[in-house]
Amino acid sequence: MPRRTTPSKPRRRRSNLLEFFETPPGFSRFLLSHAILDGTIFMPCVGDGAILRVFRQQEPDEPRIYLTNDIDPAREATHHFDATDVKEWAKRFVPQVFTDKADEHQFKSHCEGAGLVEIDWVVDNPPFSKAYPMLLAALNFVRVGVALHLRISFEEATLDREDFITKHPPDGRLVLPRFRFDPMKRGTDSVCTAWLIWLRDPVEMHRIAYPFSEELHAKRTLVAPRAVCDEPMDLVSP
């Protein structure tokens, strides 16, 4: 009689240990089609560079400057630090939160001497469990805004995010089609995601371009067509 065996559990891929899932190219192109992202761009969780590759393929007239980071030292990046730690940001970037102009001018002069860099945008697809502290850190250092690829549920009023989301809802939402990020996973990880965009200054709203529609402008929301998923993805190594 043949021996009964228990199916072994699928081996957890290295990429999932740090909640890494490659961003479909069409998702990044959709962001670039509806948001003006220029200047110095910092990507705190660059991973395999999927978003960065798309950005480099669609440079504006004045090329962007890219700075990258990943907590995994095996990843190619400008920096390797924990992007949830605001103190680590302060070691590298110029803060943008000041009580008055005199303090701002004096401190920025000091930052130049210390080799700190000003960043205009933070753009990335962060691990969902780390996204909130990463967003809070980023908002202290960007001159223009933050655009993160997140699950729609990020806007739910959870215990830790309720106060922030109530006072600081996203200035823009580019809602993306459901997508299965891990085809090797049993079951499905298909979830509804969006590019959620926060701007430091409301006058910068012109940077998010919606089709002419008063309803869309009021909701600050745009839904992407299913076609943005059609572009083939690079294979993720196990």
Side-chain angles (χ1 to χ4, degrees):
M1 182 175 180
R3 186 176 63 179
R4 177 177 294 178
T5 59
T6 302
S8 60
K9 293 182 179 179
R11 186 180 64 172
R12 192 177 189 187
R13 294 189 300 155
R14 175 178 174 277
S15 60
N16 288 343
L17 297 179
L18 295 174
E19 297 181 61
F20 165 73
F21 297 101
E22 184 178 354
T23 307
F27 285 12
S28 299
R29 296 192 198 287
F30 187 71
L31 172 64
L32 288 173
S33 297
H34 296 281
I36 301 172
L37 303 170
D38 51 15
T40 299
I41 312 286
F42 178 54
M43 299 182 177
C45 313
V46 71
D48 69 345
I51 297 173
L52 180 60
R53 287 194 295 275
V54 173
F55 273 54
R56 283 179 167 160
Q57 291 166 2
Q58 297 186 208
E59 290 284 8
D61 293 337
E62 184 173 341
R64 307 178 189 94
I65 297 171
Y66 299 102
L67 299 173
T68 58
N69 176 72
D70 202 282
I71 198 170
D72 183 353
R75 298 285 186 187
E76 183 179 347
T78 315
H79 304 283
H80 294 95
F81 67 88
D82 181 357
T84 66
D85 186 349
V86 69
K87 293 179 181 178
E88 291 294 329
W89 291 68
K91 294 176 184 178
R92 299 163 175 86
F93 307 120
V94 179
Q96 302 296 325
V97 181
F98 301 95
T99 55
D100 58 57
K101 290 293 181 181
D103 286 346
E104 178 179 357
H105 178 74
Q106 183 177 7
F107 190 75
K108 287 192 175 182
S109 296
H110 163 74
C111 290
E112 289 177 7
L116 302 186
V117 178
E118 286 197 292
I119 51 177
D120 296 292
W121 282 93
V122 165
V123 180
D124 223 322
N125 175 5
F128 189 78
S129 66
K130 309 295 184 184
Y132 181 51
M134 212 172 286
L135 170 63
L136 294 182
L139 287 171
N140 286 294
F141 294 89
V142 291
R143 290 196 290 193
V144 181
V146 178
L148 298 181
H149 177 209
L150 297 167
R151 298 177 202 163
I152 290 292
S153 59
F154 187 84
E155 289 196 74
E156 292 177 357
T158 57
L159 187 62
D160 60 338
R161 299 193 299 268
E162 180 178 9
D163 186 60
F164 175 83
I165 290 295
T166 302
K167 295 177 180 177
H168 308 286
D171 296 292
R173 302 173 190 85
L174 305 179
V175 182
L176 301 161
R178 283 183 172 269
F179 186 80
R180 186 175 181 179
F181 289 89
D182 187 354
M184 297 176 64
K185 185 177 180 180
R186 291 183 179 180
T188 179
D189 65 350
S190 174
V191 293
C192 189
T193 64
W195 287 105
L196 300 183
I197 303 172
W198 286 265
L199 298 170
R200 284 194 57 80
D201 191 334
V203 302
E204 298 285 354
M205 275 303 296
H206 68 278
R207 289 177 172 273
I208 307 173
Y210 301 112
F212 183 74
S213 163
E214 290 185 5
E215 182 180 359
L216 286 176
H217 275 288
K219 293 182 177 180
R220 298 181 179 180
T221 301
L222 180 64
V223 179
R226 179 68 198 171
V228 303
C229 292
D230 293 342
E231 206 169 328
M233 289 177 61
D234 295 335
L235 293 177
V236 178
S237 301

